Amino acid sequence: MSDCIFCKIIHGEIPSTKIYEDDEFYAFKDLNPQAPVHFLVVPKKHITSLMELEESDSPLMGRLLYRAQLLAKQEGLGEGGARFVFNCKGDAGQTVWHIHCHVLGGKRLDDGFGAK
């Protein structure tokens, strides 16, 4: 998609701090980190959100999750753990309309409901 910020990042039109790239995925550090380690794993195939997946996308998403956990370990989160987040549509906080997995860690994270 020509107006998608993540498509532009993937194609090198917008700079990013890349941590991984292959034929299917691009991973980069979040510009507004919410934890000491915060990066995104984005499929190169443009899919608007998790809510728009088709059954044929299942293998791709499995590989995305596998890659995300490998990258989490690479970034030092293997011992303490990581949070993997998909924000899906506006009410859930999705602001970029290209599916992506946030990977966060490096400190104890609040559960989002007030408990730690």
Side-chain angles (χ1 to χ4, degrees):
M1 290 205 125
S2 62
D3 61 340
C4 172
I5 190 169
F6 286 173
C7 287
K8 289 179 179 182
I9 289 171
I10 289 166
H11 292 105
E13 298 170 32
I14 295 175
S16 67
T17 304
K18 177 172 66 173
I19 63 169
Y20 179 81
E21 181 176 17
D22 66 18
D23 291 342
E24 291 186 302
F25 306 110
Y26 190 90
F28 58 98
K29 293 186 178 184
D30 194 290
L31 286 177
N32 185 25
Q34 303 300 303
V37 176
H38 185 176
F39 62 90
L40 307 176
V41 183
V42 182
K44 290 184 174 181
K45 176 183 179 183
H46 184 90
I47 302 169
T48 304
S49 87
L50 192 69
M51 303 298 276
E52 318 310 338
L53 285 177
E54 297 179 6
E55 186 174 355
S56 62
D57 295 318
S58 297
L60 175 70
M61 294 309 295
R63 290 189 300 274
L64 183 145
L65 291 173
Y66 180 74
R67 180 58 53 196
Q69 65 87 23
L70 286 177
L71 291 171
K73 291 173 185 173
Q74 172 188 300
E75 296 297 309
L77 303 178
E79 181 77 21
R83 178 172 292 167
F84 302 84
V85 177
F86 290 89
N87 297 324
C88 306
K89 297 200 173 190
D91 284 353
Q94 184 175 1
T95 58
V96 177
W97 300 100
H98 186 130
I99 194 170
H100 54 286
C101 179
H102 291 262
V103 181
L104 302 100
K107 71 173 187 175
R108 183 155 183 86
L109 300 170
D110 181 292
D111 71 0
F113 300 101
K116 287 194 177 202

